[in-house]
Amino acid sequence: MVQNPKSDHTLLQLVRLVMALVSLTVVLISLAGLGYWAIDTGVYAQWLAEGEEPDEVEATPQIVDGIDTMSGLIAEGEYEIVRAACTACHSGKLVTQNRATAEGWTQMIRWMQETQELWDLGEQEAVIVDYLATYYAPEAQGRRAPLNVEEWYVLED
Ligand code: HEC
């Protein structure tokens, strides 16, 4: 048999080239597959969203024009305690549309405790009542809109 080192060498190079191409193809297919998987399963979208930090935006209560947007409460004083205690069962609107003295607010709390299963507010009660009586105090007499009586009715005796 005649040795032909040159053709041997060429064959070896050819084999190497083919192997390199096969490896490259495998790598490319894997990358494409990974990319497709990431997009298909939402991993890519999640990864994109992580850069935007949406959680922080959601968790940060916002104050617009002095009003806490989560509850509608005036964002002054201990409003966060009031928000935690007073918007657990109903909207903050129920609170903000009312006005009363400290006594009046305490009565509303008692009423909810007796009839609506509001829990004992403990030390927070004083803080809450103080906040409510300060920021949701009865309107000054002169500023109250005149009573609009559509129809008088006769009291029965
Ligand atoms: C355990 C649940 C619960 C919690 C906590 C709660 N409330 Fe209420 N509250 C109610 C229910 C139930 C009503 C009646 C809702 C309705 O009539 O639609 C109510 C009604 C009200 C009303 C309307 C009363 C009226 O005369 O119409 C006000 C004002 C009020 N709540 C304020 C508060 C304040 C202030 C707090 C925080 C101290 C609070 N609530 C916490 C259950 C709760």
Side-chain angles (χ1 to χ4, degrees):
M1 225 180 160
V2 181
Q3 286 278 3
N4 189 347
K6 194 161 185 275
S7 89
D8 247 15
H9 191 65
T10 315
L11 188 68
L12 196 65
Q13 273 188 329
L14 193 68
V15 168
R16 279 194 181 144
L17 185 68
V18 168
M19 278 174 71
L21 281 176
V22 168
S23 312
L24 191 68
T25 310
V26 168
V27 168
L28 283 178
I29 288 174
S30 306
L31 279 179
L34 189 68
Y36 179 77
W37 170 82
I39 289 169
D40 197 44
T41 56
V43 167
Y44 179 62
Q46 209 180 338
W47 176 69
L48 273 188
E50 260 165 36
E52 294 161 13
E53 295 175 22
D55 286 344
E56 203 175 313
V57 173
E58 255 173 58
T60 309
Q62 289 199 311
I63 296 170
V64 176
D65 296 333
I67 300 293
D68 168 49
T69 55
M70 264 171 76
S71 61
L73 291 170
I74 294 169
E76 302 270 348
E78 302 289 353
Y79 77 96
E80 281 163 308
I81 290 178
V82 180
R83 180 177 65 199
C86 304
T87 61
C89 301
H90 49 67
S91 132
K93 249 196 188 140
L94 221 49
V95 180
T96 59
Q97 72 193 6
N98 275 278
R99 291 178 158 273
T101 57
E103 206 180 312
W105 282 112
T106 307
Q107 277 169 13
M108 277 189 251
I109 289 173
R110 291 289 170 273
W111 171 79
M112 276 180 288
Q113 284 170 334
E114 280 158 25
T115 63
Q116 311 297 336
E117 285 167 40
L118 172 61
W119 48 86
D120 184 357
L121 295 166
E123 288 176 0
Q124 288 193 335
E125 184 175 303
V127 177
I128 291 168
V129 168
D130 187 50
Y131 167 91
L132 292 169
T134 304
Y135 299 104
Y136 297 95
E139 301 248 13
Q141 209 74 29
R143 285 172 56 207
R144 182 194 263 173
L147 288 176
N148 185 13
V149 180
E150 308 250 312
E151 198 183 323
W152 292 100
Y153 56 91
V154 182
L155 289 173
E156 288 168 72
D157 45 18

